[in-house]
Each structure stands twice: as structure tokens, then as C-alpha cells.
Amino acid sequence: RLELGPNCVLDFQGGYIASPNKNGVIVGSNTHIASSKYQIFHDITLSGSFINYTFPVEWFGKIGPSQHGIDDSIAINTSLQCTKNVLPRVPIELGSGSYNIRNSIVLTELNQSIICNGCINLLNRYIPAIVMKQSKQIVDLNEIKCLDNFLWTNFKDEEEGEEEGEEKVNTTGILMSGNVHNSIVNVNK
């Protein structure tokens, strides 16, 4: 456990912080993290208060080039879990690239947010791209694509009829489960 003094800057000029027993915690107190977009935390959870506008997903896991079919949902979900104890909440940011996901991105905490300036490529059409489980969550996405040559439709009702010659998609873009209210979803494409 590493507790930082008030108003400190945690400045990465290369290197990372790792926890050998996979349960390390960094407690901030109006702390600012300065780093370029590479993995700086290995098995570390953030807690306390941070003054960053966003946390890049790359800080919490490796993001692969989209053409190689790497599953970026692991790093995205890790970043959401590693920052769930930060108050006030800091959004997880996915940059302008493409992010391949085989598993749903799951927002579990009240006021949790994700911002994607790029494209989420859904590699498994049988899952929702994003699952929102609490209230007051914000999802701001540039684009979601289903990459297995099936038609992508946002928020399609599975009971709707099909156009002639059109194969039905068995997926949901964003699933709001339980008693989710006062949440914002913005999908540009």
C-alpha cells in the first residue's frame, strides 16, 4: 500500500509500478498522474482522489494493434476495476484507435464512465459491447462495429422482423441491466 501526500504528482518517465502479490494499492490525495500511454500499473488498484481528467486504458493493460485480433476487453475491464475506488470518479479513456473486444465491457460502479474517441470492434456478436449495471453512468462512444460481416444495428430489438435477405444479429450494442437510471449513452455511429 502506497499512500501519497496531498497534491502530489506521480510522474512516470519510463518504468511502472507492480505488485508481486497482485493486490497493490496506491492511495491518492488530489494526486495527478503524469505519463504517456503505456502500461504503468501491474496488479495495482487506485483509491482516494486524483485530479486527472481521464485515465488512459493503456495505463492498466496492454492494448494490441487492431489488425492482430487481440482482445482489448481485458485491459478495458481491468482499468474499470482498478479505478472503481477513486472518488470523484475519473473516466476511462480509449483513444482514437480501434479496440477489439471478445467480451463485454462492464461498468459496475455508480458514476463510472468510459469515453472512446475511436472505434470498438465487437469480435463476438453474441454479447453486448457494453453492460451498464449501475445508475448515473456515462458511455460516450465514437463508433461500434461488429466485425464478422453481419449487419450492425444499435439497440435492435430481437423481436423485430428481418428484411428479406438480411441475417439477424444476435447482439445488443449497450445493455442496461437492473435498475439503471439517470445514465447517459452517446454513440456517434
Side-chain angles (χ1 to χ4, degrees):
R1 182 176 172 101
L2 174 61
E3 292 189 30
L4 303 172
N7 305 310
C8 286
V9 175
L10 189 55
D11 188 4
F12 289 85
Q13 299 292 319
Y16 59 90
I17 297 175
S19 172
N21 55 5
K22 299 188 179 208
N23 64 354
V25 177
I26 296 175
V27 181
S29 177
N30 287 332
T31 303
H32 177 75
I33 301 172
S35 178
S36 56
K37 293 182 179 181
Y38 70 95
Q39 189 170 6
I40 59 175
F41 300 118
H42 294 262
D43 301 317
I44 298 291
T45 299
L46 300 180
S47 184
S49 62
F50 292 82
I51 58 172
N52 293 67
Y53 292 111
T54 61
F55 290 141
V57 67
E58 291 87 354
W59 288 358
F60 301 92
K62 294 184 179 179
I63 298 295
S66 62
Q67 67 269 23
H68 294 116
I70 292 174
D71 183 10
D72 294 321
S73 63
I74 296 165
I76 297 167
N77 283 321
T78 297
S79 66
L80 289 165
Q81 286 302 306
C82 288
T83 60
K84 70 181 183 179
N85 294 321
V86 172
L87 294 174
R89 298 271 187 237
V90 176
I92 296 300
E93 176 191 12
L94 284 66
S96 59
S98 292
Y99 299 86
N100 292 335
I101 64 166
R102 293 189 192 286
N103 298 296
S104 297
I105 297 168
V106 182
L107 284 79
T108 59
E109 304 300 316
L110 186 72
N111 294 321
Q112 211 167 25
S113 302
I114 189 164
I115 299 168
C116 179
N117 297 314
C119 179
I120 292 178
N121 298 319
L122 187 59
L123 302 178
N124 179 352
R125 67 184 174 116
Y126 296 104
I127 63 162
I130 297 175
V131 177
M132 300 169 73
K133 292 189 170 187
Q134 291 288 334
S135 298
K136 299 181 180 177
Q137 294 176 326
I138 299 172
V139 175
D140 188 0
L141 305 175
N142 185 46
E143 184 174 11
I144 301 175
K145 289 182 183 176
C146 190
L147 290 186
D148 59 2
N149 295 324
F150 288 89
L151 173 71
W152 172 256
T153 55
N154 289 323
F155 313 104
K156 183 168 183 173
D157 184 347
E158 290 187 13
E159 301 301 319
E160 287 182 16
E162 302 171 21
E163 303 260 339
E164 185 155 335
E166 177 182 350
E167 185 156 355
K168 192 170 192 174
V169 176
N170 295 325
T171 191
T172 303
I174 297 174
L175 174 65
M176 294 181 177
S177 64
N179 189 20
V180 174
H181 59 278
N182 296 331
S183 292
I184 299 170
V185 175
N186 177 32
V187 180
N188 293 327
K189 293 183 186 179

